[in-house]
Amino acid sequence: MTRLFDAGIASLGLAFPSLGIDVRELARVRDIDPNKFTLGLGCGTIALCDQDENAVTLGAKAARRALERWDGTLEDIGMIVVGTETAADMSRPLSAFIAEELGLEGAVRSYEVKHACYGGTLALRQALEWKASGAAGDKAALVIASDVALYGECDGGEPTSGAGAVAFIVDKPTVAAVEIDSYAWSKPAFDFWRPVGEDYPRVDGKFSLDCYNEAVEHCFAQRIGDASAASVLSQYDAICFHVPFPKMVKKGVTRLGEHFQLGEDVTGKLFAEKVDPTMAWNREVGNCYTAALWIAVARALADQGPGAHVAAFSYGSGFGAELLGLVAGDAAADAAWVADVEQDLAARRLLTGEEYLDYRAARRKEVREVPLRQTA
Ligand code: HMG
């Protein structure tokens, strides 16, 4: 029997930056066959931050949107927790930067959670468990997953770059209820990491694909147990994955099919019907690290509507993973958060390949001089 937390996602807000580039333009200026980026990796457009945008401004924008469509106020928030791997400081949490933007202070627990792309999921779980413990009283939590995912110039990961944020209010489960039981798996590995003081991640690309697939297999194996994989998977209306690039998700589903001997047809149908549609927004913005999975979940909740069962597989390099289950609430009928995505994508400017080269040259200087706004 499915056990649900009493508290859940009461409001959702998403935010994306004002610049972007089509990966075919990137391929042109990098002298690479565009099919490698579009067909080989499944990418579409990369979201890029303008000079005044970063993980703080994106997180604050998503939070404001979530707060606006919630029936509470800032005074009702007792916790702000930010999952990110775009930390501004080794000591001061990103939550303090965002709380400052929002004007949130007082009897509020404020902190940052780190575990690569898995950090946003951990932040959400902690907020749900805080509510369930009774320690929250009648206060709600503001949970934010915000990241800027920019790879080095000419790095294999460059076409998978992106940026974006998702904010959740954890209170009544009007947008979605979350299952208490979840299936975690971790194994210390150096598949992708961001050494302190370095501008861009280091990646053992091929190894990272193996780690991701291994995590998929273990998390789903725990969920399925001795039952029939086909029957367990058929209980979900949508199955969302962390999306570093869409082809990775297809590889993960293929691995799932092979492990449970689902057969190519069943696996193909599963991917086409329950997984691929959830990545429609991810294709428009690229990898958003902690936010990537939750962008797919936001899309699935909106597409499927109230009562839908949605699986969410979270993966963070290093590596840690967890499979969660959600049930869409009544607010999924209106899915007000769809407007956030439509608005930001309609307003953004796509760079030409040459403008992108200038952008990277300017940023090379910028990351050395001003890592992030500092107020102290
Ligand atoms: P690469 O090594 O340059 O690419 O970068 P490749 O040679 O492996 O080619 C990629 C695919 O394109 C292949 O398809 C090629 O065959 C195909 P596959 O065989 O894999 O199905 N291809 C073409 N297709 C059509 N026309 C062509 C053509 N040429 C080649 N002309 C790599 C790939 C993934 C390594 C790189 O993008 C990378 O390093 N990305 C970053 C790491 C990453 O995203 N890993 C995913 C798992 S780890 C994760 O999800 C965590 C993460 O989000 C971070 C975190 O947790 O914080 C990254």
Side-chain angles (χ1 to χ4, degrees):
M1 212 187 71
T2 305
R3 302 184 303 148
L4 298 170
F5 285 110
D6 289 338
I9 302 170
S11 185
L12 260 185
L14 289 88
F16 299 102
S18 56
L19 299 176
I21 182 170
D22 187 310
V23 292
R24 289 168 298 187
E25 266 299 283
L26 173 64
R28 182 176 65 76
V29 291
R30 293 294 184 224
D31 203 17
I32 290 174
D33 181 348
N35 289 337
K36 176 175 178 186
F37 294 173
T38 53
L39 304 176
L41 297 172
C43 298
T45 308
I46 294 168
L48 295 166
C49 288
D50 208 344
Q51 257 185 340
D52 57 349
E53 294 170 319
N54 52 49
V56 174
T57 62
L58 290 173
K61 187 171 164 190
R64 277 192 200 98
R65 286 170 163 174
L67 286 160
E68 265 164 28
R69 52 179 76 110
W70 178 52
D71 59 7
T73 67
L74 274 186
E75 281 72 51
D76 301 311
I77 300 290
M79 176 193 278
I80 173 170
V81 51
V82 180
T84 189
E85 54 177 293
T86 317
D89 188 279
M90 286 294 288
S91 171
R92 194 176 197 254
L94 211 67
S95 60
F97 288 85
I98 295 180
E100 195 176 5
E101 295 267 328
L102 299 175
L104 176 64
E105 60 181 54
V108 181
R109 184 180 283 174
S110 166
Y111 64 104
E112 179 183 300
V113 173
K114 176 171 73 181
H115 195 315
C117 302
Y118 179 33
T121 304
L122 287 166
L124 179 63
R125 286 294 307 190
Q126 287 182 346
L128 289 162
E129 289 164 13
W130 174 67
K131 288 289 288 175
S133 74
D138 56 5
K139 295 280 185 175
L142 173 58
V143 177
I144 300 161
S146 183
D147 269 305
V148 176
L150 194 62
Y151 289 85
E153 293 166 78
C154 301
D155 185 280
E158 190 178 26
T160 74
S161 299
V166 178
F168 315 79
I169 307 284
V170 174
D171 193 27
K172 296 184 187 72
T174 45
V175 168
V178 181
E179 291 178 9
I180 294 173
D181 299 305
S182 65
Y183 307 90
W185 191 266
S186 67
K187 179 170 161 182
F190 272 99
D191 59 329
F192 166 108
W193 65 108
R194 300 178 76 172
V196 174
E198 291 190 14
D199 297 337
Y200 302 113
R202 294 199 198 184
V203 192
D204 186 341
K206 305 290 178 211
F207 180 51
S208 75
L209 313 192
D210 294 342
C211 290
Y212 183 106
N213 281 335
E214 188 181 333
V216 168
E217 190 180 304
H218 283 290
C219 289
F220 279 87
Q222 289 178 76
R223 168 67 185 88
I224 290 163
D226 295 332
S228 137
S231 97
V232 171
L233 296 173
S234 73
Q235 291 165 24
Y236 296 110
D237 300 288
I239 306 179
C240 304
F241 287 75
H242 166 55
V243 191
F245 53 94
K247 186 74 166 289
M248 179 72 250
V249 175
K250 189 161 193 199
K251 286 177 189 292
V253 174
T254 302
R255 172 71 166 257
L256 202 56
E258 285 165 0
H259 181 78
F260 290 103
Q261 300 177 328
L262 294 177
E264 275 183 31
D265 287 355
V266 174
T267 307
K269 198 163 177 284
L270 179 78
F271 179 75
E273 291 178 359
K274 298 194 175 181
V275 182
D276 198 42
T278 70
M279 296 191 284
W281 290 337
N282 301 88
R283 282 199 176 83
E284 298 286 335
V285 295
N287 191 355
C288 300
Y289 291 158
T290 52
L293 165 68
W294 297 100
I295 292 166
V297 171
R299 175 69 189 224
L301 293 170
D303 282 350
Q304 299 295 329
H309 287 252
V310 175
F313 168 76
S314 184
Y315 177 82
S317 287
F319 73 78
E322 190 160 340
L323 176 63
L324 279 64
L326 294 93
V327 182
D330 290 345
D334 293 339
W337 56 92
V338 173
D340 300 344
V341 185
E342 288 174 348
Q343 195 179 318
D344 288 352
L345 296 189
R348 81 176 170 185
R349 190 170 76 81
L350 293 187
L351 303 181
T352 62
E354 287 71 22
E355 285 173 325
Y356 174 77
L357 295 180
D358 290 346
Y359 169 91
R360 292 304 304 248
R363 190 167 169 101
R364 231 178 281 152
K365 196 161 175 287
E366 193 186 305
V367 285
R368 276 176 188 85
E369 285 174 3
V370 205
L372 249 184
R373 184 183 69 92
Q374 286 168 1
T375 51

